[in-house]
Amino acid sequence: MTKTLFAAAAASLLLTGAASAQTAPVTAPAPEHENHAAHPTIDSSIEALIADPATKAVLDKHLPGIAQHPAYGQFKSMTLRQVAPYSGGNITDAKIAAIDTDLKALPAE
């Protein structure tokens, strides 16, 4: 009898919890670059970063002359993370992190 009462009480709690979980409001997470939606991000193509004057200035700070690189046409549609393994050590994880920090610090347009 005690097991039956315990099982009934547990089932009641589980059903009540499940019902309240289903009715709880769901909120969407805030976008990572919420206030920088107008600018390309670290996950954008290099071409997109170069096309925006503010983000181009960030790239020029960390990777001077990237837009004039002889192979620019070959890597412009890639992200910095994608190009890094082929950069001969010129694009490091630390440099990507520094660029990302500067991109996130840009004021929204």
Side-chain angles (χ1 to χ4, degrees):
M1 176 80 171
T2 305
K3 286 184 181 180
T4 306
L5 288 174
F6 178 74
S12 175
L13 287 173
L14 288 174
L15 292 175
T16 304
S20 65
Q22 290 175 353
T23 59
V26 177
T27 57
E32 184 176 336
H33 299 280
E34 181 178 321
N35 60 340
H36 306 291
H39 295 293
T41 69
I42 196 70
D43 295 317
S44 299
S45 69
I46 293 169
E47 182 176 35
L49 291 166
I50 295 293
D52 182 301
T55 57
K56 181 182 186 305
V58 171
L59 282 187
D60 287 342
K61 172 184 170 185
H62 295 279
L63 299 167
I66 190 170
Q68 289 78 37
H69 191 281
Y72 178 74
Q74 296 172 346
F75 63 75
K76 67 182 182 179
S77 64
M78 300 170 72
T79 67
L80 290 170
R81 285 188 185 98
Q82 291 171 325
V83 173
Y86 309 105
S87 72
N90 289 321
I91 302 174
T92 62
D93 288 342
K95 195 171 282 193
I96 291 171
I99 292 168
D100 188 35
T101 298
D102 286 355
L103 291 175
K104 288 176 180 175
L106 291 173
E109 291 185 333

